[in-house]
Amino acid sequence: MGKQVIGIVGAGISGLLACKYTLSKGLNPIVFESRDKIGGVWTKTIESTKLQTPKSLYQFSDFPWPAQVEQDFPTQNQLLDYLQAYANHFDLLTHIRFNSKVVSLSYEGPSDEEMETCSFWSATGHPFAPRAKWNLTVENTSTLSTEVEQVDFVIMCLGRYSDVPNIPEFPANKGPEAFPGKVIHSMEYSNMDHATAHKFIQGKQVAVVGFQKSGMDISMECSTANGVNHPCTLLYRTKHWNLPDYLPWGVPLSFLYQNRFSEFLIHKPAQGLHLTLLATILSPLRWGISKFVESHIKRKLRLAQHGMVPKHSFLKELNSCSIATVPQGFFDRVEEGSIKLKKAHCFTFSSEGILVEGEAEPLQTDLVILATGFKGVDKLNNTFASPTFQDCLTGKTRLPLYRECIHPRIPQLAFIGFSESVANLFTSEMRCRWLVELLVGTFKLPSIEEMERDVSKWDDSMKQSLGEYYDRSCLGALHIWYIDQLCKDMGWNPKRKKGLLRELFEPYGPLDYV
């Protein structure tokens, strides 16, 4: 029997990792990338974009950052150079088909009725089935010709922050069509080359919608281009605990939230009675640490002065992976008047500008940039040809994935990089290592029913900890607990430190799993 063929969709960080680890186990990966280069969302970014996670957490376990990259938060170009060096080092480029967009996935095997009666994934619990394959319809983005590739297993590495923008819905005749100016999504702005983007915003009255990383970065670029003569208005619905740095009152944030002791303070899915009691007893400490971080952010960014203190806790922000780093000098620009913050729970468009709910006068503007995120599930859903598999995803805001990788009802397919964490590269690497051990038979998946029960436990835990942010697929402050589950499945010892104190209080990172 020949090597099993693994189809990998996407050559971003997760796709490169999936390629590297499947190769390491003697499998035959083919990576389909719609662009002409590796890097995924990092290939097209706003000029000022930098890594938000410290590079010590955002690195490959067996390929550290080069010594010449000294800053903690590398730039887009430095990250792309790092990914290119990784791909060259492990000879991954020869396995990537560039300008190849997977437009459809169809499953060739047991009928829908047969699969519905199965107790185990792929009917056996194994990752491969003898009479089942996936057919990938691949479009050449240069010639627009298509061909069908057949593979034994598919790894979806598309991520959730690209391709399908989330455009707010507006009442009839009150959307962008009623506005004489230009309305674009931040994706369109990011796709411009830097010189074109600068020219596009220069001399314009710009309104940016969204108070996450893209919204703040674009606002800063507009402020730089136009100053106080044409101030940029940033419309936001929710205030966030965005970070000025990773050193609250001089204490590294990883010592507060990225070690085993910090996870003892949090209720976890499928935890035993003693851990439940411990988390309950230590809840005042959990509250105190959150307040400690909040006090630092409030002081450093002068949030009270600007009326920007959130009502929810920092821990909830962390759990939802919605924390962004604030661009340096952002609130200085607010104070000088080149950026104006405006709360807008709801807004519509008119011929005179933007109508913010509760305000009589329209906000006059020439250009609106919607930094309103993406519809990640829709992007995945549109790829499946089978209505049965589409139904597995339709209406979901977070994918019901076992170990955040496997859908119990979609055989011979895995998702890598869709669910977030506080360090996405680190998490994607551990998932890829777990997945290839599954592919080579180191362990078997439990029954479909058991997987769905486990997914339900994690779901219940996330609903409890995230509240209104439940729709975000995020591990947040349970990263080590989650990695432990992967290690146990693979037969690894999850405890990687030497000595009890280091095991409890030292932060965990990629180099602990070399």
Side-chain angles (χ1 to χ4, degrees), residues 263-289:
E263 294 198 0
F264 284 151
L265 313 182
I266 300 168
H267 291 282
K268 298 171 281 294
Q271 67 182 0
L273 177 61
H274 65 292
L275 289 178
T276 301
L277 290 173
L278 187 61
T280 302
I281 293 168
L282 294 176
S283 60
L285 182 56
R286 179 176 69 229
W287 176 88
I289 291 173

Short mmCIF file of all heavy atoms in Angstrom, two decimals, residues 263-289:
data_model
loop_
_atom_site.label_atom_id
_atom_site.label_comp_id
_atom_site.label_asym_id
_atom_site.label_seq_id
_atom_site.Cartn_x
_atom_site.Cartn_y
_atom_site.Cartn_z
N GLU A 263 -4.34 28.17 36.37
CA GLU A 263 -5.48 27.38 35.90
C GLU A 263 -6.19 26.65 37.05
O GLU A 263 -7.34 26.22 36.88
CB GLU A 263 -5.03 26.40 34.82
CG GLU A 263 -4.57 27.12 33.56
CD GLU A 263 -4.52 26.23 32.33
OE1 GLU A 263 -4.85 25.03 32.43
OE2 GLU A 263 -4.15 26.74 31.25
N PHE A 264 -5.52 26.52 38.19
CA PHE A 264 -6.23 25.99 39.37
C PHE A 264 -7.36 26.92 39.81
O PHE A 264 -8.32 26.49 40.45
CB PHE A 264 -5.27 25.81 40.54
CG PHE A 264 -4.36 24.61 40.42
CD1 PHE A 264 -3.10 24.61 41.01
CD2 PHE A 264 -4.75 23.49 39.72
CE1 PHE A 264 -2.27 23.52 40.91
CE2 PHE A 264 -3.91 22.39 39.60
CZ PHE A 264 -2.67 22.40 40.19
N LEU A 265 -7.26 28.20 39.45
CA LEU A 265 -8.24 29.18 39.89
C LEU A 265 -9.51 29.17 39.04
O LEU A 265 -10.48 29.84 39.37
CB LEU A 265 -7.64 30.60 39.81
CG LEU A 265 -6.25 30.83 40.39
CD1 LEU A 265 -5.88 32.30 40.26
CD2 LEU A 265 -6.17 30.38 41.84
N ILE A 266 -9.49 28.40 37.96
CA ILE A 266 -10.56 28.47 36.96
C ILE A 266 -11.28 27.12 36.87
O ILE A 266 -10.65 26.06 36.87
CB ILE A 266 -9.97 28.84 35.59
CG1 ILE A 266 -9.28 30.22 35.69
CG2 ILE A 266 -11.05 28.87 34.51
CD1 ILE A 266 -8.43 30.54 34.51
N HIS A 267 -12.60 27.16 36.79
CA HIS A 267 -13.37 25.95 36.58
C HIS A 267 -13.14 25.44 35.16
O HIS A 267 -13.22 26.19 34.19
CB HIS A 267 -14.87 26.22 36.81
CG HIS A 267 -15.19 26.50 38.25
ND1 HIS A 267 -15.29 25.49 39.19
CD2 HIS A 267 -15.42 27.66 38.91
CE1 HIS A 267 -15.57 26.02 40.36
NE2 HIS A 267 -15.65 27.34 40.23
N LYS A 268 -12.87 24.14 35.07
CA LYS A 268 -12.48 23.54 33.79
C LYS A 268 -13.46 22.44 33.39
O LYS A 268 -14.06 21.79 34.24
CB LYS A 268 -11.07 22.96 33.91
CG LYS A 268 -10.01 24.00 34.22
CD LYS A 268 -8.67 23.40 34.56
CE LYS A 268 -8.61 22.90 35.98
NZ LYS A 268 -8.70 23.98 36.99
N PRO A 269 -13.61 22.19 32.09
CA PRO A 269 -14.48 21.10 31.65
C PRO A 269 -13.93 19.75 32.08
O PRO A 269 -12.71 19.53 32.05
CB PRO A 269 -14.48 21.24 30.13
CG PRO A 269 -13.27 22.03 29.81
CD PRO A 269 -13.02 22.93 30.97
N ALA A 270 -14.82 18.87 32.49
CA ALA A 270 -14.47 17.48 32.87
C ALA A 270 -13.47 17.43 34.03
O ALA A 270 -12.70 16.47 34.15
CB ALA A 270 -13.92 16.73 31.66
N GLN A 271 -13.46 18.44 34.90
CA GLN A 271 -12.57 18.40 36.05
C GLN A 271 -13.21 17.59 37.18
O GLN A 271 -14.43 17.46 37.27
CB GLN A 271 -12.27 19.81 36.53
CG GLN A 271 -13.46 20.55 37.13
CD GLN A 271 -13.13 21.98 37.54
OE1 GLN A 271 -12.00 22.43 37.40
NE2 GLN A 271 -14.11 22.70 38.06
N GLY A 272 -12.39 17.03 38.06
CA GLY A 272 -12.89 16.25 39.18
C GLY A 272 -13.38 17.15 40.31
O GLY A 272 -13.25 18.38 40.28
N LEU A 273 -13.90 16.50 41.34
CA LEU A 273 -14.47 17.23 42.47
C LEU A 273 -13.43 18.09 43.18
O LEU A 273 -13.71 19.24 43.55
CB LEU A 273 -15.10 16.25 43.46
CG LEU A 273 -15.69 16.86 44.75
CD1 LEU A 273 -16.81 17.83 44.40
CD2 LEU A 273 -16.18 15.75 45.69
N HIS A 274 -12.21 17.55 43.36
CA HIS A 274 -11.19 18.30 44.12
C HIS A 274 -10.77 19.57 43.37
O HIS A 274 -10.54 20.61 43.99
CB HIS A 274 -9.97 17.42 44.43
CG HIS A 274 -9.19 16.97 43.23
ND1 HIS A 274 -9.69 16.10 42.29
CD2 HIS A 274 -7.94 17.30 42.81
CE1 HIS A 274 -8.78 15.90 41.35
NE2 HIS A 274 -7.72 16.62 41.63
N LEU A 275 -10.70 19.51 42.03
CA LEU A 275 -10.36 20.71 41.27
C LEU A 275 -11.50 21.72 41.27
O LEU A 275 -11.27 22.93 41.27
CB LEU A 275 -9.99 20.34 39.83
CG LEU A 275 -8.65 19.61 39.64
CD1 LEU A 275 -8.43 19.26 38.16
CD2 LEU A 275 -7.48 20.46 40.16
N THR A 276 -12.73 21.22 41.30
CA THR A 276 -13.89 22.11 41.39
C THR A 276 -13.88 22.87 42.70
O THR A 276 -14.08 24.09 42.74
CB THR A 276 -15.19 21.31 41.26
OG1 THR A 276 -15.20 20.62 40.01
CG2 THR A 276 -16.41 22.21 41.34
N LEU A 277 -13.60 22.14 43.79
CA LEU A 277 -13.54 22.78 45.11
C LEU A 277 -12.39 23.79 45.18
O LEU A 277 -12.54 24.88 45.75
CB LEU A 277 -13.38 21.71 46.19
CG LEU A 277 -14.60 20.82 46.45
CD1 LEU A 277 -14.24 19.70 47.41
CD2 LEU A 277 -15.76 21.65 47.01
N LEU A 278 -11.26 23.41 44.61
CA LEU A 278 -10.10 24.30 44.65
C LEU A 278 -10.38 25.60 43.91
O LEU A 278 -10.06 26.70 44.39
CB LEU A 278 -8.89 23.59 44.05
CG LEU A 278 -7.53 24.31 44.16
CD1 LEU A 278 -7.16 24.53 45.61
CD2 LEU A 278 -6.44 23.50 43.46
N ALA A 279 -10.98 25.49 42.73
CA ALA A 279 -11.30 26.70 41.96
C ALA A 279 -12.30 27.58 42.69
O ALA A 279 -12.22 28.81 42.64
CB ALA A 279 -11.86 26.30 40.58
N THR A 280 -13.23 26.96 43.39
CA THR A 280 -14.23 27.73 44.16
C THR A 280 -13.57 28.45 45.33
O THR A 280 -13.82 29.64 45.57
CB THR A 280 -15.34 26.80 44.66
OG1 THR A 280 -15.95 26.14 43.54
CG2 THR A 280 -16.40 27.58 45.42
N ILE A 281 -12.73 27.73 46.06
CA ILE A 281 -12.05 28.31 47.22
C ILE A 281 -11.14 29.46 46.81
O ILE A 281 -11.04 30.48 47.50
CB ILE A 281 -11.24 27.21 47.97
CG1 ILE A 281 -12.20 26.19 48.60
CG2 ILE A 281 -10.34 27.82 49.03
CD1 ILE A 281 -11.51 24.94 49.10
N LEU A 282 -10.48 29.31 45.65
CA LEU A 282 -9.52 30.32 45.20
C LEU A 282 -10.15 31.43 44.35
O LEU A 282 -9.44 32.26 43.80
CB LEU A 282 -8.40 29.64 44.38
CG LEU A 282 -7.49 28.68 45.16
CD1 LEU A 282 -6.51 28.01 44.22
CD2 LEU A 282 -6.75 29.41 46.27
N SER A 283 -11.48 31.44 44.25
CA SER A 283 -12.14 32.45 43.42
C SER A 283 -11.80 33.89 43.83
O SER A 283 -11.68 34.76 42.95
CB SER A 283 -13.65 32.23 43.40
OG SER A 283 -14.19 32.32 44.70
N PRO A 284 -11.63 34.20 45.13
CA PRO A 284 -11.22 35.58 45.46
C PRO A 284 -9.87 35.96 44.87
O PRO A 284 -9.67 37.11 44.46
CB PRO A 284 -11.17 35.57 47.00
CG PRO A 284 -12.11 34.48 47.40
CD PRO A 284 -11.93 33.43 46.36
N LEU A 285 -8.94 35.00 44.81
CA LEU A 285 -7.64 35.26 44.21
C LEU A 285 -7.79 35.49 42.71
O LEU A 285 -7.13 36.37 42.13
CB LEU A 285 -6.68 34.11 44.49
CG LEU A 285 -5.25 34.24 43.96
CD1 LEU A 285 -4.59 35.51 44.49
CD2 LEU A 285 -4.43 33.00 44.32
N ARG A 286 -8.65 34.68 42.09
CA ARG A 286 -8.92 34.87 40.66
C ARG A 286 -9.43 36.29 40.38
O ARG A 286 -8.98 36.95 39.46
CB ARG A 286 -9.96 33.83 40.21
CG ARG A 286 -10.35 33.90 38.75
CD ARG A 286 -11.31 32.77 38.38
NE ARG A 286 -12.61 32.91 39.00
CZ ARG A 286 -13.26 31.95 39.66
NH1 ARG A 286 -12.70 30.76 39.83
NH2 ARG A 286 -14.45 32.15 40.17
N TRP A 287 -10.35 36.74 41.22
CA TRP A 287 -10.90 38.09 41.09
C TRP A 287 -9.82 39.14 41.32
O TRP A 287 -9.72 40.13 40.59
CB TRP A 287 -12.04 38.26 42.10
CG TRP A 287 -12.64 39.63 42.15
CD1 TRP A 287 -13.67 40.11 41.40
CD2 TRP A 287 -12.24 40.71 43.03
NE1 TRP A 287 -13.95 41.42 41.73
CE2 TRP A 287 -13.10 41.81 42.73
CE3 TRP A 287 -11.28 40.84 44.02
CZ2 TRP A 287 -12.99 43.02 43.40
CZ3 TRP A 287 -11.17 42.06 44.67
CH2 TRP A 287 -12.02 43.13 44.37
N GLY A 288 -8.99 38.91 42.33
CA GLY A 288 -7.94 39.87 42.67
C GLY A 288 -6.91 40.02 41.56
O GLY A 288 -6.47 41.15 41.27
N ILE A 289 -6.52 38.91 40.91
CA ILE A 289 -5.54 38.98 39.82
C ILE A 289 -6.12 39.77 38.64
O ILE A 289 -5.44 40.60 38.02
CB ILE A 289 -5.11 37.57 39.38
CG1 ILE A 289 -4.29 36.90 40.49
CG2 ILE A 289 -4.32 37.61 38.09
CD1 ILE A 289 -3.95 35.45 40.23
#
